[in-house]
Amino acid sequence: MKRTVSICLLRQDLRVHDQPLLHAVHHDKEVTHLLPLYVFDERYLELSGLPGYERDGPEARTRLFGFWRTGVFRARFLTEAVYDLRNTLRSKNSDLLVRFGKMERIVEQVVEALKENGDEIKSVYLQKDFCSEEVAIERRLDSLLSARGITLSLIDAAPLIDARDLPFPVSQTPDVFTPFRKRVEALGPLGRPPLEMPSQLKPFPSLEEGKSYPGYGKDLDSKGVEDVLLPLLTPLQDTFETKYSGSEWPRDLKSAFPYAGGETVALERVNWYFHQGDPPPVSKYKATRNGLLGHEYSTKLSPFLCLGMISPRTVMKSLTDHEDKYGESQNTYWVKFELLWRDYFLYITRKFGTKLFTLGGFEEVTDPKQASIKMQPGWWKGWDQEGSNEQPAVRWMQGRTGVPFIDANMAELRESGFMSNRGRQNVASFLTKDLQVDWRIGAEFFESHLIDYDPTANYGNWQYVGGVGNDPRASRQFNPIKQANDYDPQGTYIKTWLPALHRVPTSHIQCPWVLKPAQRAEFIAEGAYPESPVIEAPNWRPHYHKKGPGKINGNRNERVKNPGPGGPKKGRGEGRTTTDSDGSTSKENRRA
Ligand SMILES: Cc1cc2nc3c(=O)[nH]c(=O)nc-3n(C[C@H](O)[C@H](O)[C@H](O)COP(=O)(O)OP(=O)(O)OC[C@H]3O[C@@H](n4cnc5c(N)ncnc54)[C@H](O)[C@@H]3O)c2cc1C
């Protein structure tokens, strides 16, 4: 009997629950066989460590500053997720074809192999992406498939709120988060329910006896994740800015995100966070979400959401099930609030397109006059990659700024691939506002290192903190000493990630450069930590020996309550200073 096959090309949707691609194929009566395919794409992940792999294009480096595009932590997390998905699919009468190369090329080869086998190919399903590079790949895929009479079906499934349910056309997404949130919240319950998935899928279209699908990876079909991990991760150690904890990259027990990748772990985590214990951990979210240490202070769902190991609708369902039992609360509200930030960045990117990545950011569209000022030579400092390691950008990357709160956060990122939201805001503000370094250096560095990297959330947040995005208070700036006093009053977080400072008394842990030479010699081994900070701002001094109340429940993301008026002005730092409820200060130097 002739087989009719559809291919599900999985990308940032590595799951079988609430999986619209698999769902669509399952309900297509004409299709007899389902071929789930994952391609490790050489443009995103360096594949040269695989034995005999021949790269078609350049190394998988970030666009401007040449970091590995997918660093070691996300590479591991992704690989674990792919093989976890393969196991799950195998338990559902299916399988996952795993290949390495360029996505379009592999699809072409697989299609040819099916045709040669006498099969009919009906459609290729793919989750729609809206970032420019991915859209270009989709276009190429579409043209090669349509030339063969095959449909490319793109399904838009990344956001929580379906685009069809938005109370405005995507092209009119409000520029600022708060109006976006208010209009979406007015819709009522957030998001559609997750899809009901079949327990067994349509059979995998194996080729005739003895034949395997073409493309690099044939020899790995019978192998497991461990066989793939080591060669994949090996070239990624060739970098000056990441610190590995060991040759086999064990998970750092200090990490706030000590989890393996995959849908299995994602579902366990969501269940644990919303349903385990009485009351479950989410019941403290509002009070703990600005935490720095341990896995419990926030949901830790971002890495799973970014690669689609869990769907946002499944998270919302779990959250509303929790509310059915325990009632709605400030805690559950704030989780929804944060999930709307995720949707906001997804939709605002659809509106502003490639401006996500440009120096002038979204502001080039929303306020071209301001943007042109910030694009003039001299506004941002660069990074000479052949230059000294004492350049501010390098000290920031390597966690050697001499400001312990900044360095501890950078150490956490470099050694674990994760950093809290509080930490991200501080290190981003420090790089862009204190050191005045090009925000895209920070964004690309995060792109390389974060386990939970997502282009819209990462570049969107960097623009926001760097003052070129959609923050009505573009000059918002965090005082790292005050922040450390508020969120790490005993210096426990700093000492966890900067063991060189473990003997420094609490009174000086935020500002060790103030220690007298004899004290310094007593508490810090020579050469173990920078003697003076890369920069010292006058407004830090009043906070040097103050200890805050341990303010981990400060306002996190509702960054602007009453955006003040004030026309655009020229230089950095002009205008009246105000303190916002998230602990940052800003100059009222631009239009809200
Ligand atoms: C400079 C900078 C870069 C960032 N880069 C990324 C990134 O690449 N990927 C990413 O997912 N988040 C990014 N964030 C947002 C935020 O820091 C992380 O989503 C959050 O720390 C993840 O931890 P969590 O899952 O425990 O979050 P929770 O506090 O539990 O929040 C729940 C979910 O809401 C979403 N969310 C929360 N805050 C934000 C936010 N500000 N923007 C968008 N979504 C949010 C995430 O999906 C998160 O999982 C960045 C923030 C900053 C300041």
Side-chain angles (χ1 to χ4, degrees):
M1 192 185 91
K2 195 174 172 75
R3 306 186 302 185
T4 304
V5 179
S6 277
I7 298 173
C8 286
L9 183 51
L10 300 160
R11 253 195 316 193
Q12 323 291 2
D13 47 356
L14 302 175
R15 62 175 184 274
V16 298
H17 72 271
D18 192 24
Q19 179 28 294
L21 278 54
L22 299 178
H23 189 266
V25 175
H26 187 77
H27 290 282
D28 185 337
K29 293 208 165 58
E30 289 173 20
V31 174
T32 59
H33 288 72
L34 156 73
L35 195 159
L37 169 64
Y38 183 81
V39 180
F40 283 93
D41 195 308
E42 65 166 38
R43 288 163 293 199
Y44 297 89
L45 174 63
E46 180 61 22
L47 301 180
S48 58
L50 295 166
Y53 181 82
E54 282 181 30
R55 209 193 290 111
D56 191 29
E59 289 185 332
R61 301 270 183 185
T62 58
R63 200 168 51 98
L64 299 173
F65 303 102
F67 306 115
W68 286 123
R69 202 161 173 189
T70 303
V72 69
F73 300 108
R74 193 164 72 258
R76 176 179 59 187
F77 192 68
L78 165 70
T79 310
E80 289 165 342
V82 169
Y83 284 87
D84 176 67
L85 180 62
R86 190 176 76 171
N87 287 343
T88 309
L89 285 165
R90 284 180 177 173
S91 73
K92 292 183 178 295
N93 190 37
S94 184
D95 204 341
L96 180 66
L97 181 64
V98 179
R99 288 293 178 264
F100 301 77
K102 281 188 173 162
M103 196 173 84
E104 315 84 293
R105 177 80 193 111
I106 298 281
V107 172
E108 198 174 18
Q109 290 175 323
V110 168
V111 162
E112 290 306 323
L114 283 165
K115 278 190 166 168
E116 223 170 87
N117 201 55
D119 297 319
E120 188 187 327
I121 303 108
K122 187 173 177 205
S123 315
V124 172
Y125 285 88
L126 180 65
Q127 180 171 296
K128 173 92 189 98
D129 206 305
F130 291 85
C131 286
S132 42
E133 193 178 348
E134 288 71 20
V135 170
I137 292 176
E138 286 167 10
R139 288 210 184 104
R140 285 199 288 278
L141 194 57
D142 191 27
S143 69
L144 79 84
L145 289 173
S146 54
R148 291 168 172 79
I150 302 168
T151 317
L152 176 65
S153 297
L154 295 168
I155 301 189
D156 179 9
L160 169 63
I161 312 297
D162 195 295
R164 292 165 293 186
D165 299 335
L166 287 175
F168 38 77
V170 172
S171 60
Q172 287 168 33
T173 299
D175 289 348
V176 174
F177 173 69
T178 303
F180 169 87
R181 173 180 64 76
K182 288 186 173 159
R183 292 189 65 186
V184 170
E185 282 175 346
L187 292 172
L190 297 177
R192 298 182 179 195
L195 297 168
E196 291 278 343
M197 297 299 293
S199 59
Q200 297 288 294
L201 298 166
K202 288 184 178 165
F204 184 87
S206 302
L207 297 179
E208 68 186 50
E209 200 60 35
K211 279 200 172 171
S212 44
Y213 282 96
Y216 188 98
K218 276 187 289 197
D219 300 340
L220 296 168
D221 283 346
S222 57
K223 303 248 168 89
V225 62
E226 291 307 326
D227 300 298
V228 178
L229 262 183
L230 200 63
L232 267 186
L233 301 190
T234 297
L236 304 177
Q237 64 188 305
D238 168 26
T239 160
F240 78 95
E241 76 281 357
T242 297
K243 206 173 145 195
Y244 299 98
S245 27
S247 61
E248 292 184 349
W249 302 282
R251 282 189 174 76
D252 198 320
L253 294 178
K254 293 178 294 195
S255 173
F257 189 82
Y259 302 109
E263 179 182 21
T264 309
V265 184
L267 291 171
E268 279 168 18
R269 173 74 192 181
V270 86
N271 181 51
W272 180 81
Y273 198 75
F274 294 118
H275 301 289
Q276 296 296 303
D278 201 9
V282 66
S283 311
K284 293 195 228 121
Y285 179 76
K286 183 165 185 274
T288 60
R289 72 211 158 101
N290 280 299
L292 301 167
L293 276 172
H295 69 91
E296 294 187 23
Y297 62 79
S298 60
T299 67
K300 301 298 177 316
L301 290 175
S302 58
F304 302 115
L305 281 165
C306 290
L307 287 165
M309 298 168 206
I310 195 154
S311 79
R313 298 189 296 206
T314 304
V315 175
M316 189 52 61
K317 166 89 172 66
S318 194
L319 181 57
T320 45
D321 287 350
H322 167 95
E323 286 179 332
D324 288 345
K325 185 165 175 198
Y326 294 93
E328 287 182 38
S329 67
Q330 287 281 308
N331 297 299
T332 55
Y333 172 75
W334 280 97
V335 175
K336 293 179 203 168
F337 181 100
E338 298 300 348
L339 287 168
L340 288 184
W341 268 103
R342 177 178 175 274
D343 269 24
Y344 165 71
F345 283 122
L346 286 167
Y347 282 118
I348 202 73
T349 300
R350 295 184 190 187
K351 178 173 176 180
F352 290 130
T354 51
K355 296 290 176 230
L356 184 65
F357 304 108
T358 57
L359 182 62
F362 297 150
E363 204 176 41
E364 282 181 53
V365 183
T366 58
D367 193 343
K369 204 170 153 197
Q370 272 290 325
S372 68
I373 294 168
K374 293 175 195 163
M375 287 193 293
Q376 279 165 17
W379 182 274
W380 298 105
K381 295 194 178 86
W383 163 37
D384 173 6
Q385 297 188 32
E386 307 298 317
S388 149
N389 269 352
E390 293 312 305
Q391 293 173 83
V394 181
R395 287 183 64 172
W396 178 87
M397 285 184 246
Q398 295 186 334
R400 290 189 297 107
T401 67
V403 182
F405 190 57
I406 300 301
D407 294 341
N409 275 291
M410 295 305 288
E412 180 183 8
L413 178 64
R414 294 166 69 228
E415 294 174 40
S416 78
F418 195 81
M419 190 194 293
S420 67
N421 186 63
R422 179 61 40 186
R424 294 180 204 201
Q425 288 180 313
N426 272 277
V427 302
S429 165
F430 190 80
L431 184 76
T432 58
K433 301 286 173 58
D434 290 285
L435 302 180
Q436 303 183 352
V437 167
D438 185 339
W439 66 271
R440 296 168 306 170
I441 296 176
E444 285 198 2
F445 188 82
F446 269 36
E447 174 175 351
S448 178
H449 286 78
L450 279 177
I451 293 180
D452 67 1
Y453 168 70
D454 168 84
T456 67
N458 187 57
Y459 282 81
N461 274 291
W462 268 98
Q463 287 199 11
Y464 194 97
V465 182
V468 298
N470 295 338
D471 184 357
R473 288 192 187 262
S475 63
R476 182 182 306 275
Q477 185 162 0
F478 289 84
N479 178 330
I481 309 298
K482 180 173 185 322
Q483 288 278 303
N485 284 339
D486 284 346
Y487 296 99
D488 186 28
Q490 303 305 317
T492 319
Y493 174 74
I494 289 176
K495 291 183 180 185
T496 301
W497 289 102
L498 299 179
L501 301 185
H502 79 279
R503 299 185 57 233
V504 175
T506 310
S507 57
H508 286 74
I509 190 67
Q510 326 292 10
C511 49
W513 59 89
V514 180
L515 287 166
K516 299 207 165 55
Q519 291 175 309
R520 186 181 166 94
E522 187 187 342
F523 299 132
I524 308 174
E526 200 180 335
Y529 192 70
E531 288 195 8
S532 45
V534 62
I535 195 168
E536 185 181 15
N539 69 342
W540 295 0
R541 288 193 194 119
H543 301 282
Y544 278 170
H545 307 296
K546 271 192 208 161
K547 291 291 151 240
K551 181 184 162 181
I552 59 171
N553 60 352
N555 193 348
R556 196 171 89 159
N557 276 335
E558 185 76 327
R559 286 139 173 155
V560 178
K561 282 217 167 129
N562 301 302
K569 296 206 178 87
K570 196 167 186 230
R572 283 179 182 249
E574 291 172 24
R576 189 160 62 89
T577 303
T578 58
T579 301
D580 287 330
S581 48
D582 66 359
S584 64
T585 56
S586 52
K587 311 270 184 194
E588 292 180 359
N589 70 347
R590 52 159 297 171
R591 231 176 316 120

